[in-house]
Amino acid sequence: MTFQNTRDYARQLDAQDALAKYRDEFLFPKVNGKQVIYFTGNSLGLQPKRTKAFVDEVMDDWANLAVEGHFYAEKPWWDYHERFAAPLGKIVGAKPSEVTVMNTLTVNLHLLMVSFYKPGGKRYKILCEAKAFPSDQYMLQSQVRFHGYDPKDAIVELERREGEHNIRLEDILAKIDEVGDELALVLIGGVNYYTGQVFDIKTITAAGHKAGALVGWDLAHAAGNIKLELHDWNVDFAAWCSYKYMNSGPGNASGCFIHEKHHADKTLNRFAGWWGHNKARRFKMEPDFDPVEGADGWQVSNLPILSLAPYLASVEMFAEVGMDALIEKRDRITSYLEFILHEIGNEVSSSFEIITPSDPFQRASQLSVFLHGEGRPLFDYLMKNGVITDWREPNVIRLAPVPLYCSFEDMYDFGQILKQGIVSQ
Ligand SMILES: *Cc1c(COP(=O)(O)O)cnc(C)c1O
């Protein structure tokens, strides 16, 4: 496809966009009285207008029913989380029984490690990507220490080759082979938060299994962004947060996937709580834990309904839109942004560089741009002029043209502001 760097052309793309109407469903901050160009939906998604009604409903039920809300609320609280199973299952490619919502992301990774990191004898090593999101690094180190190992020995990192920004699949597969029968667990971020690289979850999962390891994924930047088939890909477990691409609000609840093949395994360790107990007998207050069969059996506490309400609003919007339509627009608008960046780079002969893979199969809704020359002042210029992006050391801005609410005209406008910013430095 040949794009054009003009406002008319961008408007034409918006006119052809089947998802364009969703832009109006979101609340945008303003800078200088003007709606911003929002590129940080990979960090905190915008608030959908429909969300408030979901929260108000819980507030009203609480006011009117108090404790009776557990059973008689508009959406009763005691099994509120079950409303997520079907639509969220579709978003991540899982059976309803394989997904649940609870806690927050890092907490859930810890809980899942209790079940799925089972070091013993020769087999105790964990493979993860170098420069993983810090919370994942701290989580893994503390888990490894908890089991009595030294992180330097037990955590094997997948490195980028000298001079390259992304990790090659062939290098991942070779490393899995190399660690071989010492490998207990592979745990990687499905989409790298820094570069936006999308990993081949299916192939890596199969390779990990072949080596005799279990394979889990942190899908913080993947849920609601890429096509996932967690069940068919035979992923053992996964977790994600809901406040990035899934627009559920700051610090909000996490989703978990636990493959069906593990549901009946009573030998798995788990840190239990009453909300994971046999649903029919939960309120009999019995002394012995009898887990619900399915991902809900990993529940611990009764759920924070006020946090789940915005997440449910979001999941329903995703169910309406469907991942296929979302991905079609995602690829188009990301390619258009890439085109605009190249155009502006040529016009002002700037030395910035896109470090996200150009292969559409290895990227999703994010382009990370290394600002070789311009650096921090350019970032500040963008922010002051209504382009909300983020800065990652040493010199990278991340741009996520989120398909639900970014427009092609935004991409054009961004290009013009970027050009001004570079010229005025
Ligand atoms: C955003 C993100 C987190 C954040 O974890 P919380 O527990 O929700 O604070 C963790 N890991 C990755 C890979 C992330 O991108």
Side-chain angles (χ1 to χ4, degrees), residues 1 3 10-26 28 38-39 46 224-226 245 318 321-338 360 363-367 400-411:
M1 185 182 299
F3 292 124
R11 283 189 175 161
Q12 218 173 300
L13 291 179
D14 281 324
Q16 294 161 4
D17 171 15
L19 301 188
K21 61 176 191 283
Y22 280 95
R23 179 175 172 83
D24 199 38
E25 289 234 13
F26 288 86
F28 286 76
Y38 196 71
F39 277 129
L46 291 179
N225 181 23
I226 69 172
Y245 290 98
F318 273 79
V321 173
M323 285 309 292
D324 291 337
L326 197 85
I327 285 167
E328 200 184 308
K329 168 152 182 207
R330 180 201 72 190
D331 287 346
R332 208 154 188 229
I333 197 167
T334 307
S335 297
Y336 190 54
L337 173 61
E338 183 183 39
R363 73 176 190 205
S365 187
Q366 177 178 323
L367 295 179
V402 171
L404 271 179
Y405 48 72
C406 291
S407 69
F408 290 89
E409 194 171 355
D410 279 346
M411 303 305 114

Side-chain angles (χ1 to χ4, degrees), residues 79-329:
D79 58 2
Y80 195 97
H81 59 285
E82 293 182 5
R83 293 171 186 273
F84 289 80
L88 196 51
K90 278 213 185 93
I91 294 166
V92 299
K95 296 188 174 182
S97 66
E98 292 174 317
V99 294
T100 194
V101 290
M102 56 185 190
N103 313 309
T104 44
L105 173 55
T106 311
V107 171
N108 282 341
L109 289 172
H110 276 297
L111 291 174
L112 291 164
M113 292 288 282
V114 169
S115 297
F116 298 108
Y117 178 50
K118 301 183 287 184
K122 256 184 104 165
R123 204 180 273 285
Y124 63 94
K125 292 191 176 172
I126 300 176
L127 191 63
C128 69
E129 78 273 38
K131 297 195 204 148
F133 192 85
S135 197
D136 299 42
Q137 296 185 44
Y138 309 150
M139 182 280 292
L140 288 176
Q141 290 161 11
S142 62
Q143 284 285 338
V144 159
R145 281 201 196 95
F146 176 72
H147 286 280
Y149 300 95
D150 176 0
K152 284 200 184 65
D153 171 43
I155 299 176
V156 180
E157 294 194 339
L158 296 158
E159 301 286 346
R160 292 154 182 85
R161 292 190 190 185
E162 190 66 33
E164 296 187 9
H165 295 296
N166 295 291
I167 305 174
R168 295 193 193 190
L169 177 62
E170 64 201 272
D171 292 352
I172 299 176
L173 301 179
K175 188 59 95 179
I176 289 173
D177 265 359
E178 184 192 316
V179 184
D181 59 5
E182 291 181 351
L183 187 61
L185 178 68
V186 177
L187 182 62
I188 304 176
V191 178
N192 183 264
Y193 80 100
Y194 182 73
T195 61
Q197 179 183 14
V198 175
F199 291 102
D200 182 342
I201 296 177
K202 182 183 179 184
T203 303
I204 295 167
T205 301
H209 287 158
K210 196 156 155 264
L214 292 172
V215 184
W217 292 88
D218 181 332
L219 300 177
H221 282 260
N225 181 23
I226 69 172
K227 182 86 177 162
L228 295 165
E229 295 289 349
L230 298 180
H231 177 86
D232 288 349
W233 295 343
N234 210 11
V235 164
D236 291 292
F237 68 93
W240 55 92
C241 49
S242 58
Y243 48 82
K244 291 175 178 167
Y245 290 98
M246 298 214 57
N247 313 318
S248 77
N252 210 345
S254 158
C256 288
F257 165 88
I258 297 149
H259 198 283
E260 184 177 55
K261 66 188 173 183
H262 298 300
H263 291 180
D265 184 352
K266 298 267 198 268
T267 70
L268 287 178
N269 282 319
R270 65 178 107 184
F271 285 169
W274 71 320
W275 232 248
H277 186 71
N278 182 326
K279 192 180 166 191
R281 309 182 64 82
R282 185 174 301 149
F283 297 105
K284 297 198 185 298
M285 305 304 201
E286 298 160 329
D288 294 319
F289 181 62
D290 171 23
V292 179
E293 194 164 316
D296 284 347
W298 271 261
Q299 291 274 345
V300 183
S301 293
N302 86 96
L303 288 143
I305 304 300
L306 282 167
S307 327
L308 292 196
Y311 193 8
L312 187 60
S314 158
V315 161
E316 291 191 0
M317 187 188 289
F318 273 79
E320 241 170 68
V321 173
M323 285 309 292
D324 291 337
L326 197 85
I327 285 167
E328 200 184 308
K329 168 152 182 207

Side-chain angles (χ1 to χ4, degrees), residues 31-49:
V31 168
N32 307 328
K34 218 172 139 240
Q35 185 169 308
V36 299
I37 300 170
Y38 196 71
F39 277 129
T40 43
N42 55 352
S43 189
L44 182 73
L46 291 179
Q47 183 183 138
K49 290 177 183 165

Side-chain angles (χ1 to χ4, degrees), residues 58 61-62 64-81 83 274-275 279 282-283 301-305:
V58 179
D61 282 335
W62 177 25
N64 296 326
L65 299 166
V67 73
E68 296 279 277
H70 282 297
F71 295 104
Y72 301 110
E74 188 61 36
K75 302 184 183 80
W77 305 330
W78 84 292
D79 58 2
Y80 195 97
H81 59 285
R83 293 171 186 273
W274 71 320
W275 232 248
K279 192 180 166 191
R282 185 174 301 149
F283 297 105
S301 293
N302 86 96
L303 288 143
I305 304 300

